[in-house]
Amino acid sequence: VPMLFRKFRGTLTNVSNNTPIFRLPEVLLIFAEAENQANSGPTQAAYDAINQVRRRAFGRSLTQPSAEADIPEGLNAQQFRDAVLLERAKELLGEGGHRWFDLLRTGTAIQVIQAAKNITLTEKNLKWPIPQEELDNNDALTQADQNPGW
């Protein structure tokens, strides 16, 4: 998706950037996803949260409906979750690897990356191995606790 990426730019006199760790759009998108998951489908509060983020990005009033910016009403739980995850990918672009962790936590990393990059991935590609030294030093761990593929 072509995007204009201008956040966190320095100026001619101040080239360093103070990158925010946590922004309001992330809070709103977390809320929208949680509200959807907790209620087995999107509520009006979930739609309001994601639409606030989208309206701001489109330069629209946060409180007024916008046919251009708002996501369509009537989505089921999975469609709404997909819309939130896509919005997180766009909104949090370049901010601390959010997309990677979203893909891992939703179990969609292999599917999404393979489709986007036309490469073959396995479960082994998603996690580092537990170092053998750690397995040896902890009696509670066995080789069966090792991450898949390692």
Side-chain angles (χ1 to χ4, degrees), residues 54-129:
R54 292 180 54 85
R55 289 172 190 158
R56 188 227 7 110
F58 277 80
R60 303 293 182 256
S61 167
L62 299 182
T63 57
Q64 298 298 316
S66 168
E68 179 187 21
D70 292 358
I71 63 170
E73 298 274 337
L75 300 178
N76 66 33
Q78 187 59 50
Q79 292 168 327
F80 188 85
R81 185 178 192 202
D82 291 345
V84 170
L85 291 174
L86 179 59
E87 196 61 35
R88 283 181 58 83
K90 293 176 186 177
E91 180 66 35
L92 304 175
L93 178 68
E95 294 182 34
H98 291 284
R99 179 68 169 163
W100 172 249
F101 292 109
D102 284 347
L103 294 175
L104 286 180
R105 101 182 138 73
T106 58
T108 58
I110 291 174
Q111 170 192 349
V112 170
I113 293 170
Q114 285 184 162
K117 297 292 183 182
N118 196 24
I119 58 174
T120 302
L121 295 177
T122 66
E123 288 291 320
K124 180 180 180 178
N125 302 116
L126 302 181
K127 297 179 182 174
W128 292 99

Side-chain angles (χ1 to χ4, degrees), residues 1-7 9 90 93:
V1 176
M3 289 185 243
L4 183 61
F5 187 75
R6 290 187 178 173
K7 50 185 176 174
R9 291 187 310 169
K90 293 176 186 177
L93 178 68

Side-chain angles (χ1 to χ4, degrees), residues 23-43:
R23 297 187 302 114
L24 180 59
E26 184 176 4
V27 173
L28 291 169
L29 292 170
I30 289 170
F31 173 80
E33 183 180 357
E35 184 77 1
N36 178 56
Q37 296 297 105
N39 293 289
S40 301
T43 62

Side-chain angles (χ1 to χ4, degrees), residues 4-15:
L4 183 61
F5 187 75
R6 290 187 178 173
K7 50 185 176 174
F8 315 130
R9 291 187 310 169
T11 63
L12 293 177
T13 57
N14 178 16
V15 294

Side-chain angles (χ1 to χ4, degrees), residues 42-55:
T43 62
Q44 189 57 52
Y47 276 107
D48 291 344
I50 190 172
N51 286 334
Q52 280 185 53
V53 175
R54 292 180 54 85
R55 289 172 190 158

